[in-house]
Amino acid sequence: MSKNAKDLAAQIKAIAGDAPVRIGLILGSGLGHIANEVDGVAVPYGDLPGFPHAGVSGHNPNLVIGNLEGVRVAVFGGRAHYYESGRGDVMRLPLEVLKELDADTMIATNAAGSMRADMPTGSIMCLSDHINFSGLNPLIGEPTDARFVPMKDAYDPAIRKDLRAAANATNVDMADGVYAWYSGPSFETPAEIRAIKMLGADAVGMSTVPEVILARFLGLKAAAISTITNMAAGLSDESISHEHTKAMAPIGAAKLEKVLRGYLRSIS
Ligand code: HPA
């Protein structure tokens, strides 16, 4: 673990208290408000040297440590994406800090385009697996043998089972599916969408995959849920834009929040 991560974790504990964090939540576009619902302390990314700036509108660049449904969480209000800097490992330091705060689990959320008619705008999808279609990897350059991270069951089966139970208990319809990562920031072409659909992807987005790889590298359990903000390029007449993503994210976000809260209650 880098010295910087240890120092930052000490800095955060001095502000938010020493109690171990159990779960890190990474909030995607349109989901930032969940950070405001945590009963705890917000630390602006700007106060944490080396933290990414998370400069995408719709994100809320604070790390909030506190209680949500009786579980001590660390909520990353904004994430940084590969496409902002060209660095695939841009979330490595935040996840190292999460590990140093004693968490054993990272749950990522994101906005995504859907390739499935039964997963329309406003629905949510629990990731069962991913396809890294970017050709990038956040562990390129990592010198140790730890870089050879197994990715079978990267989306923790036991957590997925608990998330499914929480969805059932809260009457939320949640699909299961495979998420494909394209780097962005341009959206995909219809031909690119046809290609990944043929390869077995159900949803597409520009995040999450590098974080899940880093989480597994660090020994954190991982899970992720998408809020579907549009049908992917070429699959409907719906517009595809960042404005549309931000406008549509709250529909699925309300469902996602119910599932997350139900899950946290179930493990509290
Ligand atoms: N493609 C990539 N990322 C996205 C999309 C999409 O269609 N919708 C929301 N994020």
Side-chain angles (χ1 to χ4, degrees):
M1 199 66 64
S2 67
K3 177 174 179 307
N4 202 5
K6 287 187 191 301
D7 289 349
L8 288 173
Q11 179 187 337
I12 292 162
K13 284 181 178 179
I15 301 168
D18 278 345
V21 164
R22 284 180 69 186
I23 294 190
L25 290 176
I26 299 181
L27 304 181
S29 296
L31 296 157
H33 68 279
I34 294 177
N36 303 332
E37 294 167 20
V38 175
D39 179 15
V41 179
V43 186
Y45 284 9
D47 291 352
L48 300 170
F51 256 54
H53 294 297
V56 180
S57 62
H59 290 242
N60 169 4
N62 288 294
L63 174 60
V64 184
I65 315 272
N67 260 305
L68 191 61
E69 299 290 358
V71 177
R72 190 157 167 88
V73 294
V75 180
F76 296 84
R79 65 148 58 81
H81 305 80
Y82 164 78
Y83 62 72
E84 292 169 70
S85 62
R87 277 186 45 211
D89 65 349
V90 60
M91 287 300 285
R92 179 163 173 165
L93 180 64
L95 290 172
E96 286 181 350
V97 169
L98 178 64
K99 178 87 180 169
E100 285 295 319
L101 294 172
D102 307 311
D104 71 356
T105 299
M106 176 209 72
I107 300 180
T109 64
N110 62 53
S114 168
M115 269 91 76
R116 261 175 37 198
D118 68 333
M119 243 168 38
T121 297
S123 59
I124 63 172
M125 180 186 95
C126 185
L127 277 66
S128 57
D129 205 344
H130 73 224
I131 297 174
N132 181 352
F133 212 72
S134 69
L136 304 161
N137 195 294
L139 296 176
I140 290 173
E142 163 60 35
T144 69
D145 277 359
R147 64 190 160 189
F148 300 114
V149 180
M151 291 299 290
K152 181 170 181 289
D153 288 337
Y155 296 82
D156 191 83
I159 298 177
R160 284 171 50 209
K161 200 166 158 228
D162 288 349
L163 288 169
R164 164 78 38 220
N168 292 341
T170 51
N171 285 320
V172 173
D173 202 8
M174 179 172 74
D176 250 321
V178 174
Y179 174 96
W181 178 35
Y182 273 110
S183 78
S186 56
F187 284 99
E188 303 74 30
T189 64
E192 286 166 341
I193 293 301
R194 284 195 299 276
I196 48 170
K197 189 175 175 196
M198 211 181 295
L199 293 175
D202 300 295
V204 61
M206 306 177 192
S207 69
T208 302
V209 166
E211 292 139 40
V212 169
I213 294 170
L214 286 166
R216 298 305 298 137
F217 169 70
L218 294 168
L220 293 161
K221 292 185 273 188
I225 306 179
S226 295
T227 164
I228 300 298
T229 54
N230 56 279
M231 295 307 291
L235 299 182
S236 85
D237 294 334
E238 194 177 14
S239 79
I240 299 182
S241 68
H242 188 53
E243 286 312 310
H244 185 80
T245 296
K246 286 191 291 183
M248 293 299 137
I251 309 172
K255 299 177 187 170
L256 199 159
E257 187 177 341
K258 274 193 192 172
V259 174
L260 265 183
R261 281 181 178 277
Y263 167 72
L264 293 173
R265 275 195 302 277
S266 75
I267 63 160
S268 72

